[in-house]
Amino acid sequence: MSKRERRGSNWLPILPIALLLALGAALWIWREPIRTLFINRERIQAWVARLGPWGPLATIGLNAAQVIVAPIPGQFIGVTNGYLYGVAAGTLYSMVGLVMGTATVMILARRFGRPFVEGLVNEEQLTRWDEITARQGPWFFFLIFLFPFLPDDLTGFLIGLSPLSIPRMLVLTTLGRLPGVLVSSWVGARAHALPWWAWIPLAGGTAGLAWLFWRYQEEMEALMVRLIRRLTQQTVLG
């Protein structure tokens, strides 16, 4: 390792602390606008309601698109839907978009094959997960969608490239995604009830998890994969 690389690695443990301090400072500086935003939730919901069906259609389309090209984390859209529409409607709109996006990537991958998929996703990650999921059954894929820290959007492409039944897998992936979407909507629906200072540890914890996933992505994914393999083997033996 070069001196420059060692210096760069020395900064890595400091990054989450610096990010937490920056987020805390931002929340303190803009605490009044943030407080006003969350207090006026009903006003924002009334404005969204005036959009008519275009509001739900927009968030459904955005959620479907993020499955295909992933410009925005799906969890963020889920929290936003919960905040704007409540737990039930927010979960419904999020799930409709996710189902549409997942069905689209499965069908496109099945129709146009691996060269098409390689143009949309990281080739190295595709190859690694292609090896992980090779010759795996439906329940293995179901648990990928159920467990955190795993590339569920990429898995939709892999299902399309496999001989598995798309309708059956679409049902399983929908069930696997539902608990996470429900939690995201619940958090969003209750965001206005939190005091501004509660967002500091919440944002810090989120930033810390994001850093851990960025820093140890392969290790965390490998841990989840080992757990999934153990569970699926127990299911087969049972």
Side-chain angles (χ1 to χ4, degrees):
M1 181 182 293
S2 66
K3 291 183 178 180
R4 180 177 296 180
E5 290 174 334
R6 284 197 297 270
R7 285 196 298 268
S9 63
N10 290 336
W11 282 98
L12 288 177
I14 304 176
L15 286 178
I17 300 175
L19 185 57
L20 176 59
L21 292 174
L23 286 171
L27 288 171
W28 173 261
I29 294 171
W30 290 297
R31 62 187 183 280
E32 286 304 321
I34 293 173
R35 178 174 175 272
T36 302
L37 173 65
F38 285 106
I39 286 177
N40 293 332
R41 181 192 182 203
E42 290 77 11
R43 184 181 301 176
I44 297 174
Q45 289 177 322
W47 178 81
V48 172
R50 287 198 294 271
L51 298 176
W54 294 108
L57 286 175
T59 188
I60 288 172
L62 185 62
N63 223 359
Q66 68 86 21
V67 175
I68 302 171
V69 295
I72 301 173
Q75 292 82 359
F76 175 79
I77 300 175
V79 171
T80 303
N81 283 341
Y83 178 78
L84 294 176
Y85 302 107
V87 177
T91 299
L92 175 63
Y93 297 149
S94 293
M95 288 304 304
V96 170
L98 289 172
V99 170
M100 290 174 57
T102 304
T104 299
V105 300
M106 290 181 184
I107 293 171
L108 289 176
R110 182 70 53 89
R111 173 64 179 82
F112 297 106
R114 191 180 182 92
F116 171 80
V117 176
E118 289 176 348
L120 291 177
V121 302
N122 180 276
E123 186 174 355
E124 181 181 347
Q125 190 180 31
L126 175 63
T127 300
R128 183 162 62 90
W129 275 93
D130 205 6
E131 295 174 355
I132 291 172
T133 59
R135 297 180 297 278
Q136 296 294 341
W139 292 109
F140 186 91
F141 288 97
F142 165 75
L143 291 174
I144 288 179
F145 282 85
L146 180 65
F147 285 12
F149 310 121
L150 295 174
D152 48 3
D153 292 338
L154 172 61
T155 304
F157 287 104
L158 292 172
I159 291 172
L161 295 175
S162 76
L164 294 171
S165 167
I166 288 180
R168 181 186 182 187
M169 294 309 304
L170 191 59
V171 172
L172 289 177
T173 57
T174 300
L175 294 174
R177 273 190 162 124
L178 182 59
V181 172
L182 187 61
V183 170
S184 296
S185 295
W186 183 86
V187 170
R190 282 153 180 76
H192 68 287
L194 291 176
W196 69 266
W197 52 264
W199 287 94
I200 295 178
L202 185 61
T206 302
L209 284 175
W211 180 84
L212 284 173
F213 180 71
W214 169 78
R215 181 66 178 84
Y216 302 104
Q217 178 179 354
E218 291 192 13
E219 291 84 352
M220 295 174 73
E221 289 180 351
L223 178 63
M224 291 292 103
V225 168
R226 286 197 296 271
L227 177 59
I228 289 173
R229 283 175 173 164
R230 181 174 299 178
L231 290 173
T232 52
Q233 287 172 358
Q234 289 176 353
T235 301
V236 172
L237 294 175

